[in-house]
Structures are given as C-alpha cells and as structure tokens.
Amino acid sequence: MNPASIETRSRSARLGLLQVCAAGVLWGTGGLVVTTLHERDGLGAMTVSAWRMALAALALVAFAVVTRRSGVVRETMRAHPVLAVLVGCGTALYQGLYFVSVLLVGVSIATVVALGLAPILASVWEHALARSLPSAREAVVLAAALAGLVLITATAGHGSAPPGGDPRLGTLLAIGSGATYAATTVLGHTLAQRVDPVALTTCATAAGAVALLPFLGLAAAMEEPVMSSDPVSLALLLYLGVATMALAYGLLYAGLRTTSGSAATVATLVEPVSAALLAALLLGERLAWPALVGGGLILAAVVALHPTDERPAPA
C-alpha cells in the first residue's frame, strides 16, 4: 500500500473514532434525562426506551425524506433485512436492559458492568473470528480504559442502589446489556461497511421501535404512566429520541465504517466521562481526584487507539 493510501486510511480512522466519541458524549446525557423523567413523571425504563426509539425513527424517516435518501433506505432494508432488524432489535434490547438495570442497581454499577464488559467481549469476538491474539499494546489500552471506567463511575456520586432496587437482578441485567451491546456493535460494524450510515440508522431504529412498541401497551394495561403532558418532560423525551438516539447512532454507524467494532466500544467509554462532568455541572457534585484520574485514563486510551492498526473496508 502506498504512503498516500495509508495516510488517507489513517485520517478516515481518526475521523471514525471522533464520530464514535461524539456519540458517547451524547449517550452520557441519556442517563441523567431518563432518571429525571422517572422522578418527574414516573415513566418506567421500558416506556422511555420505547418512546426514545419511536421518536428517533420518526426523526430519521423525516430526515431521509428531506434529504432524498428514502430510496437508499428502502434498498438497504431490501438488501439486508435480517442484519438491519437484528441490529435494531439488539439496540432496543441493550438500551432497555441498561435503563432497567440503572433503576435497580444504580448508575455506577450498571455502567461499570455493561460498558466495562462490552469492549472485552467485542475484542475477544473479533480476535476469535480472526484466530489471532491481542497485542500487548491492545491489552494495555483496554486495561487503561477499564481502570478509568471503574475509577470515574465509582466516585461520581451514584454508587448506591436506589430505594426499592434489586442489586442482584440489576447486575444480571447489566451483564446482559453489555453482552448485547458488544454483539450489536460487532454486527453493526459488519453492516456499516456495506451501506450508507443514515440508511442503516433509519432501518435499525425503525426495527427497534417496532420491537419496543408493545411495552407502551403493557404499561397502559398495568395502569402505569405512558406519557407526560408536562412541556419540559416532552422536550426531554424529544431530546432523548433525536439527540441521544437518532444523531448518536448515526455518528456511531458512520464511525464504524472506518474503525473496528472493538475500538469503537473502547471509544464509547467517553460516555461515563461526560456523565460525570454533567453530574458535576448540573447536580453540583464534586469530582474526586480518582474520578479525574479515571477520566484521564479513558481519554488516553481513546487517543492511543492507533488508526493505522485498523483494517476496515474502504468507506
């Protein structure tokens, strides 16, 4: 490969990592919004998840129509119906399990287990497919990221389980969430290299929304809150759907075109960093020095993801 091609691939990989990191920052605001909606309106985790994906699907369909990508979306679903549906259902399952886990065991443990487990599983899966062993450098990067994740989430002020929670069940759900997230990221990486990221995001989000719609009916049947009439809560739901779902996953799938699935799962560990900063700015929590060290470790691990080590298909 000539030097120009190597440089082009390196720039594309760096841009991909930046896009995945931006998605992580947006996801970092999601937990705060979900907790606020639960406290303000009593909306359950699966109810919020259903509205989040439904609103995201509507926003993405409208965007596809305005930008004249409807044909590309239809072609993507016709060409890859099984993969698109699997990615969408995996995303729905991952976020649902995570939100329920947060309400049962607390943000700290749920984040450590779910986001800490995902990079390990994604890396193991990719090396198993390639029948290779991770390099010493990859192992150090992953260890630094996980150490930073533990430090920042353990000292961010969200360590205790909420009243009425179930720590054991919550931990099991977080494990399931991490495993589902890793599988969905690796699967999405495979499909993202073949299709337009906007089309993939639209198809997957629509499939996930359909999968979660029954939970709205279940909440209504159980006489639980399904929707809020408060303008602030409605704005928060809209933000969850458009920013933390439609835009964030669009950035993720765009980034997956030029970087590996395992690198992407490490890059998304900027989510707890942004969540801790939001807690400090909006909730007045003071960041202890271990949290600052943890944030530095995570950011260093993301920077240390060497783009030229990746071998994605050309974007």
Side-chain angles (χ1 to χ4, degrees), residues 83-108:
L83 281 178
V85 171
L86 284 177
V87 170
C89 291
T91 302
L93 180 60
Y94 150 69
Q95 73 163 20
L97 290 174
Y98 177 71
F99 288 156
V100 175
S101 176
V102 165
L103 298 181
L104 291 176
V105 74
V107 175
S108 179

Side-chain angles (χ1 to χ4, degrees), residues 83-184:
L83 281 178
V85 171
L86 284 177
V87 170
C89 291
T91 302
L93 180 60
Y94 150 69
Q95 73 163 20
L97 290 174
Y98 177 71
F99 288 156
V100 175
S101 176
V102 165
L103 298 181
L104 291 176
V105 74
V107 175
S108 179
I109 296 177
T111 304
V112 169
V113 175
L115 294 184
L117 183 63
I120 298 175
L121 294 178
S123 180
V124 169
W125 176 253
E126 287 190 339
H127 283 289
L129 288 179
R131 297 183 180 180
S132 62
L133 294 175
S135 65
R137 185 174 176 279
E138 288 175 325
V140 170
V141 167
L142 189 58
L146 294 181
L149 180 64
V150 171
L151 283 173
I152 198 168
T153 52
T155 57
H158 300 286
S160 58
D166 188 335
R168 291 185 179 180
L169 179 58
T171 302
L172 289 175
L173 293 177
I175 292 173
S177 175
T180 306
Y181 173 51
T184 303

Side-chain angles (χ1 to χ4, degrees), residues 201-268:
T201 308
T202 304
C203 293
T205 304
V210 172
L212 288 177
L213 280 179
F215 286 97
L216 294 179
L218 182 62
M222 297 177 65
E223 297 184 351
E224 295 179 355
V226 177
M227 174 53 76
S228 172
S229 58
D230 181 69
V232 175
S233 297
L234 293 176
L236 290 175
L237 276 174
L238 187 62
Y239 171 81
L240 269 181
V242 175
T244 72
M245 188 74 211
L247 177 58
Y249 278 93
L251 289 169
L252 172 66
Y253 294 136
L256 285 175
R257 290 169 64 85
T258 54
T259 191
S260 71
S262 58
T265 53
V266 175
T268 54

